[in-house]
Amino acid sequence: MMTRQTATLWASGLMALVLTIGPATAAEFATKEEAVAMVKKAVVFIKEQGDATAYAEFSQKGGQFHDRDLYITVLGLDGRVLAHGQRADFIGQNLIDAKDPDGKLFIKERSDLALHNASFWQRYKFMNPATQKVEVKDMYCERLGETNVCGGVYGT
């Protein structure tokens, strides 16, 4: 039988464990604020370093534009992938007709949104590289010339 003092100590220890684990688990995944900050950093990087240098950096896994499940993608408004932080095999492909698992033409939608907005959020489903599961993704994009510079977060 547990005494009141033992139960109190046990409950206090459990609460400390929950408080310790909670923030650490949340920190495993990027936030919307971090996505906005990374996209803004990427836009500045393109302007300072030029397209070729910037796109190569964005497409390099483990580089400065990778943070947990957050990475940068750059697509032309025509749907051509210019840089992709997770899928190098997409680079050079035109994905304007790509659909998410629900049938949403998400690249076409992104291009259409860019025609009317300097920056925007878009929601669709995509494979999360951290969990290897298809999840809801909220993508923040800024239009830069004839391109979309984007970074997104999963499971929001």
Side-chain angles (χ1 to χ4, degrees), residues 38 55-63 65-75 81-91 124 126-133 137 139 150-152 154:
M38 186 178 284
Y55 296 170
E57 181 64 28
F58 301 157
S59 300
Q60 183 178 12
K61 288 185 180 182
F65 291 93
H66 278 254
D67 182 12
R68 297 159 292 176
D69 57 343
L70 176 60
Y71 53 87
I72 294 295
T73 63
V74 182
L75 286 93
V81 180
L82 304 171
H84 200 289
Q86 197 60 38
R87 296 283 308 266
D89 57 316
F90 285 170
I91 297 170
Y124 60 100
F126 201 74
M127 178 70 70
N128 182 334
T131 65
Q132 296 300 307
K133 295 179 183 174
K137 184 170 188 176
M139 182 75 91
C150 307
Y154 293 89

Side-chain angles (χ1 to χ4, degrees), residues 92-113:
Q93 291 186 37
N94 189 314
L95 300 180
I96 198 73
D97 293 324
K99 294 179 182 178
D100 80 351
D102 293 333
K104 181 186 237 182
L105 290 164
F106 68 99
I107 300 296
K108 181 172 181 354
E109 178 186 69
R110 188 177 307 165
S111 294
D112 291 344
L113 287 166

